[in-house]
């Protein structure tokens, strides 16, 4: 038996002829198996497979190749990739790194026919004559070769294992039989390493692919969310336009009729009242919109919600009608909240009206006040711990499907018939609750009713009844007022209005001008009447500077929409909300001045 490299087993003395050869082959295969099975590095494994083939065949060269499947990302699908080699010079390694099916070699013959291929002498092979493949074999010192296909247990062709000799050679039956055994084991190992490599690449790219997919989903969700926002904005603007057009129609028509001199006094009064009532309705509409947007100026005060619910319940019975029973339950000791009492009462009315409509005007509404240590998960928000007062309004109506619950707080969203509701009631409840630092939850079951639960932060303060009673009839006065208003038309109108009421009024266009006037003439000013929203220094900041610089000077704010007021509900200054009446204007001036220790 010839030398078989360092994997061969030395012959055993005392055993002769065929027995010695058979024993050596068995021992050789056993040692090869042990060596291959113990190797964990796949490239080292491929090299040892080639070494085993060279040892079995007694060749000078050996190669192992992988068949790239169709559609392989390398772009070499259908070609043979060199995985490992032994004995090849550098230029031959580069030449056979990729072997195309059209090349001339034993491995391409095996690929073509699907079985072992043997070339006893390349110089005697007519087809290869004159090709670069023959030149490559000559330069590498290769004269003959055999290739054994590596076929998986499922019958899939995985690659090739080849041995090459430096002289004409045809392997023996024993060599071919041994190479078949090695090829089966090599195919199993190659199949395993291909799967392991695919799994490794999958794991390496999994996080990247998950991130990419997450980004795609987020982009899709953002797009859907944007479409939903646009739809909601369209619904909102459409609803606002519809309602305001109705109001403006009344105001414009009434104003045109009032311009006719021949109009009797009684009809003049009718149209004047229509304008005034319509303005109040417009103010209520904007108030509801601002409440939903959480931009409504609030007047927080401390009160017991159970007492407030009890005092409002009689009015609620009138609102919902005689066919609806209202039960009021208080399940806790006296407790307090610090929120806008007027907005709280409005929220109760809106929820009661919604419950009435859900029951078609007949049934039972239960209003329950209790404490809570947590807010349940709702509308995509996780549950939250805290100290809350829970005010629940429950009806026994038809209930709502989930798609309605998801949209129930949208302005102008309503399932009622046209003309049966504005769709703003529950949006006011939502906005008031959120702006007050609370949350609202909805539970509903089709055919069983709905519960709206307000969770308002519990207050440790007590009710303060020491505030002076400044109510009474408004009166005309001659106080000197500095109007701070950046809008020319509004400022001129306010100045004319105050002058007609008996005040002495002058204007400043912004906070900087107002402070300059006060620096020079603060003794000549009784009241500063400032708008909240102004460029540069806003009205709240201006009043703070005035109070710090001239503590005895009375300051009054006016505004409608303002994120400044919404974010700072406890600014500490009297506020006259737009739109306001003449009596409200005079009264707030008088009351603010009186609270500051002055009398008109």
């Amino acid at each position: 038996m010839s030398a078989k490299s360092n994997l061969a087993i030395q012959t055993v003395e005392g055993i002769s002829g065929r027995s010695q050869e058979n024993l050596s082959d068995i021992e050789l295969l056993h040692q090869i198996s042990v060596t291959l099975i113990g190797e964990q590095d796949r490239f080292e494994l491929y090299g040892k497979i080639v070494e085993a083939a060279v040892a079995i065949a007694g060749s000078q060269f050996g190669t192992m190749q992988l068949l790239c499947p169709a559609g392989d990302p390398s772009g070499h699908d259908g070609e043979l990739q060199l995985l490992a080699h032994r004995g090849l010079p550098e230029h031959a390694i580069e030449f056979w790194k990729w072997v195309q099916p059209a090349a001339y070699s034993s491995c391409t013959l095996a690929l073509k026919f699907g079985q072992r291929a043997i070339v006893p002498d390349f110089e005697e092979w007519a087809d290869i004559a004159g090709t670069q493949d023959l030149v490559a074999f000559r330069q590498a010192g290769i004269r003959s070769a055999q290739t054994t296909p590596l076929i998986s247990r499922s019958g899939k062709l995985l690659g090739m294992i080849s041995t090459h000799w430096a002289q004409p050679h045809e392997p023996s039956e024993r060599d071919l039989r041994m190479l078949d055994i090695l090829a089966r084991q090599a195919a199993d190992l190659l199949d395993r390493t291909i799967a392991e490599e695919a799994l490794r690449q999958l794991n390496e790219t999994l996080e990247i692919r998950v991130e990419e997919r997450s980004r795609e989903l987020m982009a899709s969700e953002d797009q859907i969310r944007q479409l939903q926002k646009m739809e909601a904005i369209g619904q909102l603007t459409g609803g606002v336009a519809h309602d305001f057009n109705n109001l403006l129609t009344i105001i414009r028509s009434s104003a045109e009729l009032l311009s006719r001199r021949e109009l009797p006094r009684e009809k003049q009064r009718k149209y004047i009242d229509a304008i005034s009532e319509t303005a109040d309705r417009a103010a209520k509409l904007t108030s509801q919109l601002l409440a939903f947007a959480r931009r409504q100026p609030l007047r927080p005060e401390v009160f017991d919600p159970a007492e407030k619910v009890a005092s409002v319940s009689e009015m609620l019975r009138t609102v919902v009608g005689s066919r609806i029973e209202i039960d009021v339950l208080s399940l806790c000791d006296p407790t307090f909240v610090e929120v806008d009492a007027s907005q709280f009462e409005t929220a109760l009315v809106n929820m009661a009206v919604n419950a009435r409509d859900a029951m078609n005007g007949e049934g039972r509404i239960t209003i329950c006040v209790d404490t809570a240590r947590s807010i349940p998960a709702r509308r995509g928000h996780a549950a939250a711990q805290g100290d809350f007062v829970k005010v629940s309004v429950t009806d026994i109506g038809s209930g709502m499907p989930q798609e309605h619950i998801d949209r129930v707080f949208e302005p102008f969203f309503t399932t009622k018939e046209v003309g049966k509701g504005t769709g703003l009631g529950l949006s006011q409840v939502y906005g008031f609750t959120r702006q007050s630092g609370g949350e609202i939850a909805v539970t509903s079951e089709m055919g069983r009713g709905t519960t709206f639960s307000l969770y308002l932060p519990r207050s440790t303060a007590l009710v303060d009844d020491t505030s002076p009673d400044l109510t009474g009839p408004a009166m005309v006065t001659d106080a000197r007022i500095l109007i701070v208003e950046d809008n020319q038309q509004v400022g001129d109108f306010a100045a004319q209005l105050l002058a007609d009421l008996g005040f002495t009024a002058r204007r400043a266009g912004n906070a900087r001008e107002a402070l300059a006037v006060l620096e020079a003439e603060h003794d000549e000013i009784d009241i500063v009447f400032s708008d909240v929203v102004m460029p540069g220094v806003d009205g709240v900041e201006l009043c703070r500077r005035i109070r710090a610089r001239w503590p005895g000077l009375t300051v009054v704010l006016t505004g409608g929409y303002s994120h400044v007021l919404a974010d700072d509900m406890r600014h500490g200054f009297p506020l006259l909300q737009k739109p306001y009446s003449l009596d409200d204007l005079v009264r707030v001036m008088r009351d603010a001045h009186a609270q500051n220790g002055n009398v008109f």
Side-chain angles (χ1 to χ4, degrees), residues 126-180:
D127 293 343
I128 200 174
T131 65
Q132 287 296 319
D133 297 301
L134 181 58
V135 174
F137 283 124
R138 287 172 177 173
Q139 291 177 344
I142 296 175
R143 189 68 181 267
S144 58
Q146 77 77 34
T147 297
T148 301
L150 301 178
I151 301 175
S152 71
R153 293 181 183 271
S154 63
K156 179 182 178 181
L157 179 60
L158 303 176
M160 306 290 178
I161 185 167
S162 303
T163 51
H164 310 78
W165 293 266
Q167 64 283 332
H169 182 81
E170 189 166 350
S172 66
E173 288 297 324
R174 173 263 177 195
D175 293 344
L176 297 178
R177 187 171 58 252
M178 295 275 284
L179 287 172
D180 283 339

Side-chain angles (χ1 to χ4, degrees), residues 224-237:
I224 293 173
R225 196 175 297 112
Q226 184 64 24
L227 291 174
Q228 291 173 337
K229 287 180 181 178
M230 296 302 294
E231 182 182 353
I233 290 172
Q235 178 176 301
L236 174 61
T237 54

